[in-house]
Amino acid sequence: MIIFEPKERIAEYVIQRIGSDNTPDDLFRYVTIGLIKDNKLVAGLIYYDYTGTSISVHIGGHPNKRWLTKELLKVMFHYPFIQLGVNRITGYVAAKNKDAIKFDEKLGFVREGVLRKATKDDDLIVYGMLREEC
């Protein structure tokens, strides 16, 4: 089941999964999408930094669970590209997070650069997806 609220709970889940030191309060304005399976939150997305032409996203899912569904994929890309009409989605992945790198690249995100020492202990890889690449 796809959920959009409570957004603080979904944001906390994603932040925990991606290993960030941030809290939902650190994100100025954001929208969340979550996936519930067997009455448990197993995946979530945080969309933030909406500019009118682009938006950033963090994606987090339960390890060792198959959570990426067709329904979630549809909503994942419908919201930014169709509902908001952005030209691009930007994602940031810790360089040591090999599973997330593989996931983003399998979804079709393109590696665009590296933000060196962007976190306490790692670089961040910048990924982007343009509307026409989706």
Side-chain angles (χ1 to χ4, degrees), residues 7 23-31 48-49:
K7 74 179 202 173
T23 68
D25 293 335
D26 296 330
L27 302 168
F28 176 59
R29 289 187 358 206
Y30 64 96
V31 172
Y48 63 101
D49 286 345

Side-chain angles (χ1 to χ4, degrees), residues 34-46:
L35 178 67
I36 301 285
K37 277 190 173 182
D38 300 324
N39 293 320
K40 289 188 176 186
L41 185 62
V42 296
L45 296 94
I46 305 171

Side-chain angles (χ1 to χ4, degrees), residues 13 17 42 60-67 99:
Y13 176 88
R17 291 287 174 242
V42 296
H62 191 286
N64 304 322
K65 289 225 180 197
R66 301 192 125 215
W67 53 264
D99 289 338

Side-chain angles (χ1 to χ4, degrees), residues 65-92:
K65 289 225 180 197
R66 301 192 125 215
W67 53 264
L68 188 60
T69 64
K70 288 181 183 180
E71 181 184 23
L72 183 59
L73 267 174
K74 182 179 178 183
V75 173
M76 180 187 302
F77 293 114
H78 182 274
Y79 174 69
F81 289 129
I82 306 302
Q83 188 171 337
L84 296 180
V86 300
N87 296 327
R88 69 170 284 123
I89 303 171
T90 304
Y92 303 92

Side-chain angles (χ1 to χ4, degrees), residues 5-61:
E5 296 285 341
K7 74 179 202 173
E8 293 80 9
R9 176 177 166 226
I10 298 168
E12 287 170 1
Y13 176 88
V14 173
I15 288 168
Q16 178 187 22
R17 291 287 174 242
I18 65 174
S20 175
D21 294 329
N22 292 335
T23 68
D25 293 335
D26 296 330
L27 302 168
F28 176 59
R29 289 187 358 206
Y30 64 96
V31 172
T32 60
I33 298 172
L35 178 67
I36 301 285
K37 277 190 173 182
D38 300 324
N39 293 320
K40 289 188 176 186
L41 185 62
V42 296
L45 296 94
I46 305 171
Y47 292 96
Y48 63 101
D49 286 345
Y50 172 65
T51 67
T53 57
S54 69
I55 196 163
S56 295
V57 66
H58 287 307
I59 304 169

